[in-house]
Amino acid sequence: QQQVKQSPQSLIVQKGGISIINCAYENTAFDYFPWYQQFPGKGPALLIAIRPDVSEKKEGRFTISFNKSAKQFSLHIMDSQPGDSATYFCAASKPGNTGKLIFGQGTTLQVKP
Amino acid sequence: EAEVAQSPRYKITEKSQAVAFWCDPISGHATLYWYRQILGQGPELLVQFQDESVVDDSQLPKDRFSAERLKGVDSTLKIQPAELGDSAMYLCASRREAGANVLTFGAGSRLTVL
């Protein structure tokens, strides 16, 4: 059972544009929602994360918007750059000490110069 | 910057053969995870260790997969016998302390089963 659904599967954006990736979750027990960035040949790396007690978190050009009632959250990349071209994964985890992450399917972003 | 080390980076094997992957987490990280990432999909947890103990192996196909972390430091994931459907990236991750949310992933071991 897929608990975190991510869309779109792939995304092409022009340099300077806004990239938007969406995720929806099913389990209301989730309390931590990170986004990971993965370049080819590398492991995923934490990009930005949010908890459900806030509706938005911004770090540089990256913003997470969180809608608890809709059980959705999204990643916005402002002023997208070719160096942002990568695969992005949303994830979720439950409270407790396990730290286990449940990942979405991933979105491959291509930023054209 | 500290990294999670994994080897081999690439492994090609024939079905029914045995394969093993090794992971050395960041020094001092007590929690270690093995994830499997099938091409085009997100990583899925196979097994989680807290020190040398297995915390969660509910998604580990125990008929063919095994994992150990004998001294609570490095870890080995073994597949025997390998099947075509095992072709994937095997990612190791570690976490600094219980309650911390940030997982640091290694570069992965890509397995191709022919």
Side-chain angles (χ1 to χ4, degrees):
Chain A
Q1 180 182 5
Q2 186 178 356
Q3 299 190 54
V4 181
K5 294 182 180 180
Q6 184 172 346
S7 64
Q9 188 173 6
S10 62
L11 182 61
I12 300 175
V13 173
Q14 290 295 128
K15 178 182 175 182
I18 302 174
S19 304
I20 302 175
I21 305 170
N22 301 299
C23 280
Y25 62 97
E26 300 169 1
N27 193 332
T28 55
F30 290 145
D31 74 337
Y32 175 70
F33 302 88
W35 285 89
Y36 276 76
Q37 180 188 56
Q38 185 177 30
F39 292 105
K42 301 288 188 180
L46 178 65
L47 185 63
I48 187 173
I50 197 169
R51 292 195 179 275
D53 53 346
V54 297
S55 61
E56 185 174 283
K57 183 173 182 180
K58 183 176 181 180
E59 291 184 1
R61 297 184 293 109
F62 301 91
T63 300
I64 300 178
S65 296
F66 188 85
N67 186 330
K68 188 174 181 178
S69 61
K71 294 189 288 185
Q72 295 175 347
F73 58 110
S74 60
L75 175 69
H76 293 65
I77 306 174
M78 311 300 288
D79 186 26
S80 298
Q81 300 296 312
D84 297 330
S85 298
T87 300
Y88 293 82
F89 294 95
C90 61
S93 69
K94 299 178 189 178
N97 287 330
T98 70
K100 173 183 175 180
L101 292 176
I102 297 170
F103 286 87
Q105 297 281 69
T107 297
T108 300
L109 170 66
Q110 181 184 358
V111 181
K112 290 192 169 183
Chain B
E1 183 178 338
E3 295 183 345
V4 175
Q6 290 190 246
S7 66
R9 289 296 311 278
Y10 305 93
K11 178 70 176 179
I12 299 174
T13 190
E14 294 185 345
K15 64 179 182 179
S16 80
Q17 296 299 303
V19 295
F21 305 108
W22 176 80
C23 172
D24 191 11
I26 293 173
S27 178
H29 282 202
T31 310
L32 183 147
Y33 309 81
W34 283 101
Y35 278 82
R36 177 170 61 184
Q37 184 178 18
I38 295 171
L39 190 63
Q41 298 184 20
E44 293 182 314
L45 181 70
L46 290 174
V47 62
Q48 177 183 346
F49 290 90
Q50 182 66 32
D51 298 310
E52 67 277 7
S53 301
V54 173
V55 174
D56 183 352
D57 64 355
S58 58
Q59 300 303 308
L60 187 71
K62 299 180 188 63
D63 57 334
R64 298 184 300 108
F65 286 64
S66 64
E68 61 183 16
R69 194 184 184 198
L70 294 177
K71 297 183 179 179
V73 181
D74 59 337
S75 175
T76 302
L77 176 71
K78 297 179 180 178
I79 308 173
Q80 182 174 16
E83 296 181 353
L84 295 177
D86 296 332
S87 294
M89 176 78 84
Y90 290 84
L91 293 164
C92 180
S94 67
R95 181 179 67 160
R96 185 177 72 247
E97 60 196 18
N101 290 107
V102 180
L103 271 61
T104 302
F105 284 84
S109 295
R110 179 164 294 283
L111 172 65
T112 301
V113 182
L114 303 176

